[in-house]
Amino acid sequence: MEDSALREAPFTDARSLGAPEEYADSRWVVMKFGGTSIASRDDWERIAGLLTNRMEAGLRPLVVCSAVGGVSNSLHTLIRQAIGGDPDPVLEDILARHRQLADELDIDADAVIGEYFAELRQLAAGVRLIREASPRVQARLMALGELMSTRLGGAWLGTLGMDLVWADARDFLSATEQRHKNERQHFLSAVCLHGRDPSLEARLAAANEGAILTQGFIARNVDDETVLLGRGGSDTSAAYFASLLGARRLEIWTDVPGMFSANPRAVPSARLLTALHYDEAQEIASTGGSVLHPRCVPPMRRAEIPIHVRWTGRPDLPGTVVSAATPEVEPQVKAISLRMGLTLVSMEGVAMWQEVGFLADAFELFRRHSVSVDLISTSESNVTVSIDTVSGTLEGETLETLVEDIGRLCRVRIIEDCAAVSLVGRKIRTILHRLGPALEVFEEQRIHLVSQAANDLNLTFVVDDEQGYRLVQKLHSSIIGPQRLGEAFGPTWEELQSDERKPRRLPPSWWSHRRDELLELSAAASPRYVYDGDTIRAAIGRLRAIDSVDAVFYAMKANSNPDVLRLVEAEGVNFECVSPGEIARVLELFPGMERERILFTPNFAPREEYAAALDLGVWVTLDNLHTLREWPDVFRGRDVFIRLDPGQGRGHHEHVRTAGTHSKFGIPLFELDELEALAAGADCRIVGIHAHTGSGILDPTNWAEVAGELAAAASRFPDVHTLDLGGGLGIPEKPGQEPLDTGHLARILDELKRAYPDYRLWLEPGRYLVAEAGVLLARVTQTKGKGAVRYVGIETGMNSLIRPALYGAYHEIVNLTRLKEPATEIVTVVGPICESGDRLGNDRLLPECREGDLLLIANTGAYGYTMSSSYNLREPAAETVI
Ligand code: LLP
């Protein structure tokens, strides 16, 4: 076992957090561990250490565990598969997952949880037989996840000789009868009795003197049946236990350092919130924060039991404390939350103007269909509400029948795929005037609904899903960033990551090995883009290894430096060009190149460009019917590619999502009939079908979806010989992102090739080949501190690299001169251009920078120099290939 005296940050005294005397002196501590914190032997060793610490301090821990990470989702899938009558490989996965954990713990799985395995098989077989799973059966099946995880963990802790008993949570948590609930809600999102219950303490006292291990998520109803507490149910179970026992504190152990001022995946400069009031924590949790489940807060607030959110991986950090006492100085926005996948119901009709009882009638319908309403905004002739479609308690038909019923009262419209962006903080009304400049970010957005919470804790804007991330980033940097931060704000996510125990940044890159060379090069002249040839060759090699790809066309808009093009060409890669200028550059460098190695993919280009390209003999892609409708003669007798819009765009930012109604690219699928007719009329053969859905995509399944659409469309055009799946292959930009799994991509494409052996497959990567190969080197010119923000200025800015200003793109920045010195300062890195947006990185942790130091901006080989300008008549950085 690891050291039992695991180093833990001290827990703030419950009394100073406002807990009542009796709780502050209680010996009970409830500890909850989520699925990712109980999945391995290391995890259980850590839990053992934490338990020992508490017991040595004279406390009694009651431990509440979830199912092993991923198992609840698998059980869900299992139910779906069984209803569909499919054979269920996932069942074997679930068993194997537990066998593996048992092996790690040296426990005999069959002896300890064999009976659960059998029950799982039986229940699944029953469902498969009758092709249906009642909520009652679903609850029994899902409960097995928690039962199995705690039995295994309990058995192992027992082998350590620890004074611990395993308890069935259903013997202690009783669901309340709630008449308005339907069967599904009754079994799958139950609510339990809570409030201090001395008889429970007495029963547990009879069991032992030490620790208790039990399950989250499950309880029993009055008929002695198993019920579930709904999503995030383990947090809620733990809160119920803490409340019933009158615990000194509730500890939520999780896989992040605590609650943050925004989702750190969207905003790396998000700050840890060290202290929150119950109200704020609940509001952040309900408006999208996923660290704590909102339902666990009210029981704790009522009992005034403090909640401590801690990171299992780093018990030495203090995390977030939620209590009645917060170091409040003045009202502040504490967090920018985001909730995606919202559905709005917009009810419209003149009849509702001054009509008595309209709202009552409408809401009665929501009640009747058990649909819970979240946000509301009303006007004279419209009432719009948001409803929860994500928590899984709403079935498809419910929404349909609800809409049908409301349709009898007024006009009704459903708006799907919305995101709610909320500013959360106490007394938000008193700070509205300070939010003015920040709200400019909404200038261009369509806002479906604005709602200001009656409890004065949030201000929420509902926009299209795809805007969500960007808005959170912008609002965070314009509101939380410049605020005078009180004690409640701790370190940023980036700073916490920078701790040496965690990987500090992206894996080491070529430039850290070639540092001396780079310093020498820039001593001669800076600023400068430097590209590493080997890194480009390696990226090409990874794509080349995919056998089913017949040709790679490099999208040279990413980087058209002649030396880079020579290198790419030498590897046998072809070229994708978007302008006559790009074609000319290729032919200038490689005059004898076979014309079929060049693909021209223009967009809204003038007629002459098509004619010229066809005359040159390169492949030409049409992405609009205008071409064939208005200029049929240009294409008469020619072979062309067409670019389809498969409807769904992806990518790192809305500006680079090149499919879907918001994008100007591609022929929509509903125009295929017309395309067929126009092509026949112009006597032009469609030989290739192409789609490019966006840029910076890390999920390989994107290309499976694209391929499906292309293959379906191709079946209508007998001359098609090539499916061009586009580019868009992303690279990891932020710490924590995983690289694109080219092995997975290869499996997808191989499968496609097997299904359609007659088509040639092409890819058109730009970024993937060159991004990581490039760095931008620039010297520090000046530094300054202004309020809470420190600026480090460098000799070039958005004139060389516009991606941060244009897309909010993140590029790692290091001080190459002081690469080995500890990072001690948080700074904003800016350029010399006359624009406030001339920032290359916000809130970066760097060693103290001095004039003349060389900063390196990483991953700038793609869309760096090619998007540069001489704005302000400042020439962009020059380029060198090494
Ligand atoms: N093929 C077509 C038809 C394209 O439109 C593009 C990029 C590519 C291939 C190459 O995409 P890639 O593999 O590089 O993602 N300036 C933005 C990227 C714009 C991409 C436009 N089209 C950025 O800096 O992120």
Side-chain angles (χ1 to χ4, degrees), residues 305-320:
I305 297 174
I307 309 173
H308 295 254
V309 182
R310 291 265 172 126
W311 184 5
T312 319
R314 294 284 310 274
D316 56 313
L317 296 177
T320 301

Side-chain angles (χ1 to χ4, degrees), residues 634-683:
V634 173
F635 303 100
R636 201 163 301 284
R638 303 283 197 172
D639 290 354
V640 296
F641 275 54
I642 53 158
R643 174 169 181 171
L644 291 187
D645 175 353
Q648 180 72 39
R650 293 215 206 183
H652 69 78
H653 186 271
E654 56 154 329
H655 294 350
V656 302
R657 283 178 213 133
T658 43
T661 43
H662 298 295
S663 145
K664 63 173 180 152
F665 298 97
I667 299 172
L669 299 175
F670 62 78
E671 283 185 353
L672 283 182
D673 288 340
E674 194 182 350
L675 169 67
E676 228 174 316
L678 288 172
D683 186 24

Side-chain angles (χ1 to χ4, degrees), residues 678-850:
L678 288 172
D683 186 24
C684 130
R685 298 196 317 152
I686 292 172
V687 296
I689 303 207
H690 159 66
H692 171 84
T693 46
S695 195
I697 303 168
L698 291 165
D699 175 2
T701 61
N702 171 65
W703 291 275
E705 283 165 23
V706 171
E709 293 292 351
L710 295 190
S715 64
R716 308 171 59 142
F717 301 97
D719 301 317
V720 169
H721 51 60
T722 298
L723 302 184
D724 172 0
L725 305 182
L729 295 79
I731 55 134
E733 290 175 344
K734 294 184 188 162
Q737 282 182 331
E738 293 290 329
L740 176 74
D741 181 350
T742 46
H744 188 177
L745 182 63
R747 288 193 293 282
I748 287 174
L749 298 183
D750 290 347
E751 202 171 298
L752 179 73
K753 191 76 172 184
R754 271 196 299 280
Y756 303 99
D758 297 337
Y759 294 135
R760 288 191 292 169
L761 297 187
W762 291 1
L763 284 180
E764 288 178 1
R767 180 188 324 269
Y768 189 78
L769 302 195
V770 289
E772 292 175 311
V775 294
L776 173 57
L777 302 171
R779 296 212 171 273
V780 173
T781 51
Q782 306 183 16
T783 64
K784 96 164 139 197
K786 196 175 171 192
V789 185
R790 283 201 67 74
Y791 290 98
V792 170
I794 54 175
E795 58 192 330
T796 191
M798 66 197 290
N799 54 328
S800 289
L801 181 67
I802 201 172
R803 300 190 72 251
L806 193 57
Y807 314 119
Y810 180 96
H811 288 272
E812 184 178 13
I813 302 180
V814 298
N815 184 327
L816 203 62
T817 311
R818 301 177 196 282
L819 197 58
K820 307 216 166 80
E821 292 179 24
T824 51
E825 271 198 341
I826 299 179
V827 299
T828 293
V829 180
V830 296
I833 300 297
C834 265
E835 297 263 344
S836 300
D838 185 25
R839 295 162 176 240
L840 298 151
N842 294 317
D843 295 345
R844 299 308 178 86
L845 189 63
L846 292 178
E848 195 179 328
C849 297
R850 308 256 166 77

Side-chain angles (χ1 to χ4, degrees), residues 211-254:
I212 311 278
L213 175 64
T214 191
Q215 310 76 40
F217 194 44
I218 64 175
R220 219 189 287 284
N221 66 13
V222 286
D223 299 321
D224 229 15
E225 296 162 311
T226 301
V227 298
L228 305 180
L229 303 188
R231 275 199 183 206
S234 293
D235 287 356
T236 314
S237 298
Y240 289 152
F241 274 110
S243 159
L244 290 164
L245 289 170
R248 163 190 299 236
R249 62 178 181 253
L250 168 61
E251 301 173 9
I252 303 277
W253 289 88
T254 177

Side-chain angles (χ1 to χ4, degrees), residues 371-393:
V371 174
S372 96
V373 166
D374 180 14
L375 303 167
I376 305 183
S377 89
T378 65
S379 74
E380 285 166 4
S381 61
N382 177 290
V383 180
T384 300
V385 303
S386 75
I387 57 176
D388 173 14
T389 44
V390 181
S391 72
T393 50

Side-chain angles (χ1 to χ4, degrees), residues 199-399:
S199 72
L200 171 66
E201 277 181 85
R203 277 199 286 155
L204 289 176
N208 71 343
E209 259 300 291
I212 311 278
L213 175 64
T214 191
Q215 310 76 40
F217 194 44
I218 64 175
R220 219 189 287 284
N221 66 13
V222 286
D223 299 321
D224 229 15
E225 296 162 311
T226 301
V227 298
L228 305 180
L229 303 188
R231 275 199 183 206
S234 293
D235 287 356
T236 314
S237 298
Y240 289 152
F241 274 110
S243 159
L244 290 164
L245 289 170
R248 163 190 299 236
R249 62 178 181 253
L250 168 61
E251 301 173 9
I252 303 277
W253 289 88
T254 177
D255 53 4
V256 289
M259 297 177 79
F260 278 83
S261 57
N263 178 347
R265 284 189 222 298
V267 187
S269 59
R271 288 185 180 276
L272 180 69
L273 296 165
T274 55
L276 287 173
H277 190 273
Y278 293 113
D279 289 343
E280 293 169 324
Q282 174 158 11
E283 205 64 23
I284 293 174
S286 342
T287 51
S290 54
V291 176
L292 198 63
H293 196 273
R295 278 174 60 197
C296 83
V297 182
M300 296 298 86
R301 179 187 18 215
R302 222 162 291 141
E304 291 176 46
I305 297 174
I307 309 173
H308 295 254
V309 182
R310 291 265 172 126
W311 184 5
T312 319
R314 294 284 310 274
D316 56 313
L317 296 177
T320 301
V321 184
V322 180
S323 71
T326 57
E328 202 80 305
V329 207
E330 55 185 72
Q332 274 192 329
V333 177
K334 289 277 174 59
I336 317 285
S337 304
L338 172 66
R339 220 167 0 139
M340 308 277 257
L342 230 63
T343 298
L344 298 184
V345 182
S346 159
M347 297 170 274
E348 187 132 9
V350 263
M352 64 177 73
W353 163 229
Q354 289 198 333
E355 166 124 339
V356 175
F358 169 80
L359 278 180
D361 292 345
F363 286 121
E364 164 58 20
L365 295 173
F366 284 89
R367 197 193 65 80
R368 201 179 305 152
H369 291 281
S370 299
V371 174
S372 96
V373 166
D374 180 14
L375 303 167
I376 305 183
S377 89
T378 65
S379 74
E380 285 166 4
S381 61
N382 177 290
V383 180
T384 300
V385 303
S386 75
I387 57 176
D388 173 14
T389 44
V390 181
S391 72
T393 50
L394 185 68
E395 285 166 287
E397 316 92 71
T398 312
L399 187 57

